[in-house]
Amino acid sequence: MGHIRKQMISIYLNATCNLACKYCVLATQNNVVLDEDMRIDIDFAKKGISDFFRDYAGKAVRYYGAGEPTIAFEQLCELTEYARTLTDDEVFFELQTNGFFSEEKAKWIKDNMSFVWISCDGMPDIQNKYRPVKNGSKSSTIVERNIKYLADNDNNKVGCRATLPIEMIDRQMELIDYFISLGVKYICVERAFSSLDDDLYEAEQQSPDYFADKYYEAYLYAKEKGVFYGHLNMANFDEKVHFNCRACFPYPHLTTDGYVSCCDIAPFGKEIYKDKSQLELVYGKWNAECGRIEYDEEKISKIRSRNVDVLRKSTCANCEAIDYCAGGCLGQALFETGSILGKSSWNCAVTKNLFKRMPVDEGLYPITHS
């Protein structure tokens, strides 16, 4: 479905992690986050949920984080129960996790989450190379166990999100077969980026056309197998959009240091984290003394300026894909160009390549992008 359909409040539960992913764009394993900012203020999170349910039609909560959200398991459980008390409507809960958790947590997740995205890079050789446990041990056995367990239900409410280092570009069909063997029907992939700490991982970049060609081959292969195979640069091909994604609306993302951002690329709001977070995408702040969230209307207006009408007259003039792209990913464009109206040249090239040969407006995709 058009990425903007993901109308949820995102809650970053904590900023610690049990894995040491090589390409972690947040590099939280390097102790760059103050102790006081490691876990979200529960009152802030509850206020954010109640405000969202009051002001938006959708009743949906997404758990994510600069770290692994299941580490803050008590808060995860408490906020889930709290959200249910606020409405007679059914609440949609989405969890984005690295999948490295106990069987006890897996059972609770299966019973309580509407959909679970597990970040797993696929086959054990790749998973263990790029997503080792912090102590250096292998993560694949536990992650594979949890994927199988969550996929084993009538609703099949689990998807896998794989990061593709350069050696995986040519192994995508193998990746698809692996996830199918675990019972997964929904897969999203993205290319690997260099870590913010260059000493950890520096990504080798494939040409956008080669990447698009190999992705498209894998997309067709997955389709033959009855599996949805998504990617950020085709996430809106199923319907025309005004905004690329929820970030441009914006829908709130509550950070562990007490701020509201619009995008996962802005997981912190304090000035001390400016090298780890795109602060231009932070538009609100928790006032604990008053018990309310204060918003910056000027920033909201600026974020919303990244829309089809504005981009059609500027950055994306004369682009035939604009109605099914809306400028592409806000976070990546801002990171690369320094402008909210900027354009990621690599992403733009991939989108145009895929737009020429992939179907558009042929029915909504079965899931929103991870």
Side-chain angles (χ1 to χ4, degrees), residues 94-320:
E94 179 177 288
L95 173 66
Q96 296 208 348
T97 169
N98 61 28
F100 194 79
F101 44 74
S102 68
E103 292 180 85
E104 181 183 3
K105 289 181 180 179
K107 184 180 186 308
W108 183 91
I109 290 167
K110 190 172 187 177
D111 290 342
N112 289 276
M113 293 294 102
S114 310
F115 199 89
V116 182
W117 279 109
I118 293 184
S119 294
C120 172
D121 292 346
M123 301 76 76
D125 65 312
I126 294 295
Q127 171 72 11
N128 293 326
K129 177 180 179 180
Y130 288 97
R131 293 181 179 270
V133 183
K134 266 195 171 181
N135 63 14
S137 62
K138 298 176 180 179
S139 64
S140 62
T141 300
I142 290 176
V143 174
E144 184 176 290
R145 178 200 72 199
N146 287 331
I147 293 173
K148 285 181 178 179
Y149 176 74
L150 291 172
D152 184 22
N153 63 79
D154 293 337
N155 296 325
N156 199 276
K157 55 182 182 180
V158 63
C160 285
R161 191 269 189 204
T163 300
L164 302 178
I166 198 164
E167 68 260 44
M168 281 300 294
I169 304 301
D170 294 324
R171 296 179 66 185
Q172 292 181 72
M173 293 180 189
E174 183 183 353
L175 177 77
I176 292 165
D177 286 338
Y178 172 73
F179 283 135
I180 289 175
S181 74
L182 303 182
V184 175
K185 296 180 180 178
Y186 310 107
I187 307 167
C188 282
V189 295
E190 297 299 337
R191 61 178 171 136
F193 293 89
S194 296
S195 169
L196 289 177
D197 184 342
D198 291 334
D199 292 334
L200 284 177
Y201 179 73
E202 185 171 357
E204 297 179 67
Q205 295 303 329
Q206 187 58 264
S207 76
D209 283 336
Y210 188 85
F211 181 92
D213 290 345
K214 289 299 179 180
Y215 167 77
Y216 184 60
E217 289 176 9
Y219 170 83
L220 294 177
Y221 180 77
K223 190 174 182 179
E224 290 177 359
K225 299 279 187 176
V227 171
F228 181 77
Y229 194 66
H231 175 60
L232 185 62
N233 295 99
M234 52 71 71
N236 294 323
F237 285 3
D238 56 346
E239 64 177 337
K240 289 185 176 181
V241 294
H242 185 65
F243 297 108
N244 174 267
C245 73
R246 65 184 183 276
C248 305
F249 189 74
Y251 289 102
H253 296 56
L254 310 188
T255 74
T256 54
D257 61 342
Y259 288 80
V260 182
S261 85
C262 71
C263 181
D264 292 337
I265 205 169
F268 303 105
K270 290 182 179 177
E271 184 69 21
I272 58 172
Y273 302 125
K274 64 181 180 181
D275 293 334
K276 311 296 181 188
S277 181
Q278 295 294 308
L279 300 188
E280 197 167 351
L281 303 183
V282 174
Y283 65 92
K285 184 179 180 181
W286 170 238
N287 186 328
E289 291 185 3
C290 300
R292 68 171 182 264
I293 301 171
E294 299 167 345
Y295 295 96
D296 186 329
E297 296 297 333
E298 185 176 339
K299 274 198 168 183
I300 292 173
S301 178
K302 188 173 183 180
I303 291 166
R304 286 184 176 167
S305 71
R306 187 178 178 83
N307 63 63
V308 167
D309 291 341
V310 173
L311 293 170
R312 198 192 303 275
K313 299 174 184 177
S314 55
T315 310
C316 304
N318 303 315
C319 178
E320 61 182 357

Side-chain angles (χ1 to χ4, degrees), residues 38-86:
M38 281 292 189
R39 194 157 293 191
I40 197 163
D41 182 310
I42 199 74
D43 292 329
F44 171 39
K46 288 181 177 179
K47 180 60 175 171
I49 293 172
S50 64
D51 284 358
F52 185 79
F53 283 13
R54 180 196 64 201
D55 297 336
Y56 296 86
K59 301 297 184 288
V61 180
R62 170 180 177 259
Y63 298 112
Y64 190 54
E68 166 53 32
T70 61
I71 291 176
F73 192 65
E74 290 183 7
Q75 287 85 349
L76 174 62
C77 296
E78 182 176 350
L79 291 173
T80 298
E81 290 307 309
Y82 174 75
R84 288 186 173 125
T85 68
L86 298 179

